[in-house]
Amino acid sequence: MATWSAPGKVFLFGEHAVVYGKPGLAMAIQPRVQVTVRKARHPARPRSSYIQECFRETGVRGTVYVRSQLPSASGLGSSAAVTVATLSAINEEFEKGYTREQVADLAFSIEKKVQHGLASPTDTYVTSFGGLVLIRGPERLRLPPRNIPLVVGNSRVSHNTGKMVERVAREREVRPAMVNAVLEAIEAVTEEAVGALQNPPELGRLMNINHALLEAIGVGHPALSRLVLASRAAGAYGAKITGAGGGGCMIALAPKRARGRVAGAMESCDAQAIVTTIDTQGARREAHA
Ligand code: MEV
């Protein structure tokens, strides 16, 4: 029997712009998905198609038990975390000898297959390695870890990443001059943010600008706007959509004294609030009780 866990992720800056080759900054966050795999000759078929693919791709059979602290389908990378934790547990249980890079690559190809071609290599990379990751075109650069405490607000409004990516593409066709200018502005915000990681008030300001730019390209949602405004009113340095938008999650950066208030403000807007910070470990082996 082998148990592994993998963390969730948020985009701090640059979502959507990364689709057009602009930089993006993502961070692994502490809520985790934990997966136990045990060899079995005649296991029941796993319910998750991600887990089914993990067994198919590795050519082994086993039972699986999943525990998750991450809300699914909310943009926090839960499918990538499940896939990476499952592959890591299979790796140990069946002594496959995969490296962490190989697990991340295989997880990405599984996500692509299950999601019919649309998957983010960012999610599988960040959940495998943890920490802060700067995406620049095809490169994934691991930055020195920083403690960036966040309050994540899950709007519970369901959304579809593919549709939101398409929406931006359509908007760009209709209004190329405007949308390209916004994507360039997002790039400038992300570049400045990389230099401001130790300055929370400045980082918060940059989050506010990034949020406005995401709204400008059509990925806002009234529920997310409410959460962003409520967080700022409760004392956050800044707040923004995280991930695809149109529903899903937002994040707020707040001073320690205001974190509880920000979480309370989100809950009074019917959202689920998760107070969290950076995860620096990525996929990790869990001891059995
Ligand atoms: C979704 O979490 C982030 C997007 O930029 C898509 C991607 O990077 O794959 C919208």
Side-chain angles (χ1 to χ4, degrees):
M1 178 164 76
T3 299
W4 279 70
S5 68
K9 75 100 207 356
V10 288
F11 258 97
L12 293 175
F13 293 94
E15 51 274 268
H16 285 289
V18 294
V19 175
Y20 299 91
K22 308 289 188 204
L25 188 58
M27 182 173 90
I29 54 167
Q30 283 182 5
R32 285 182 163 257
V33 173
Q34 191 167 313
V35 179
T36 300
V37 169
R38 189 199 292 264
K39 278 182 195 156
R41 283 225 191 105
H42 304 291
R45 190 178 157 87
R47 256 180 298 163
S48 151
S49 34
Y50 295 96
I51 296 177
Q52 284 171 23
E53 274 307 307
C54 289
F55 281 101
R56 225 188 53 77
E57 285 287 332
T58 53
V60 296
R61 288 172 182 211
T63 58
V64 197
Y65 178 58
V66 180
R67 276 142 293 173
S68 180
Q69 302 158 342
L70 266 180
S72 60
S74 60
L76 300 181
S78 78
S79 66
V82 165
T83 307
V84 165
T86 305
L87 286 174
S88 304
I90 288 176
N91 195 25
E92 182 188 334
E93 179 73 350
F94 296 90
E95 297 175 29
K96 289 282 185 184
Y98 301 140
T99 62
R100 204 177 272 262
E101 280 82 3
Q102 284 172 319
V103 167
D105 288 348
L106 186 53
F108 175 51
S109 67
I110 288 173
E111 285 238 299
K112 240 181 17 193
K113 184 165 178 196
V114 176
Q115 293 166 195
H116 309 291
L118 192 119
S120 165
T122 303
D123 287 17
T124 39
Y125 188 90
V126 173
T127 191
S128 296
F129 289 93
L132 265 172
V133 177
L134 180 64
I135 303 122
R136 267 192 210 285
E139 276 175 51
R140 309 259 166 292
L141 236 138
R142 294 169 67 201
L143 301 184
R146 305 245 185 265
N147 185 26
I148 302 179
L150 294 175
V151 188
V152 178
N154 175 13
S155 68
R156 306 181 211 259
V157 174
S158 69
H159 68 160
N160 179 308
T161 300
K163 283 203 181 121
M164 299 319 291
V165 170
E166 255 172 46
R167 182 178 294 182
V168 174
R170 248 196 338 266
E171 191 70 8
R172 188 163 169 262
E173 268 169 37
V174 178
R175 281 178 258 277
M178 282 180 226
V179 172
N180 286 330
V182 173
L183 295 174
E184 269 169 37
I186 294 177
E187 175 175 27
V189 170
T190 305
E191 296 291 2
E192 268 201 52
V194 173
L197 291 171
Q198 274 167 310
N199 183 344
E202 181 61 10
L203 213 53
R205 247 189 72 64
L206 292 167
M207 280 184 176
N208 290 342
I209 298 171
N210 197 162
H211 179 76
L213 295 169
L214 286 167
E215 289 207 314
I217 53 174
V219 300
H221 187 280
L224 294 171
S225 306
R226 270 180 78 203
L227 290 171
V228 163
L229 295 177
S231 301
R232 292 178 192 157
Y237 292 124
K240 66 180 276 292
I241 289 166
T242 186
C249 290
M250 48 71 68
I251 50 174
L253 180 69
K256 200 168 181 187
R257 61 178 186 284
R259 253 166 251 157
R261 232 175 327 143
V262 169
M266 289 179 185
E267 279 161 3
S268 58
C269 297
D270 300 324
Q272 174 193 18
I274 305 169
V275 180
T276 185
T277 187
I278 190 168
D279 166 274
T280 54
Q281 293 181 303
R284 100 180 157 211
R285 183 173 188 273
E286 299 289 341
H288 292 115

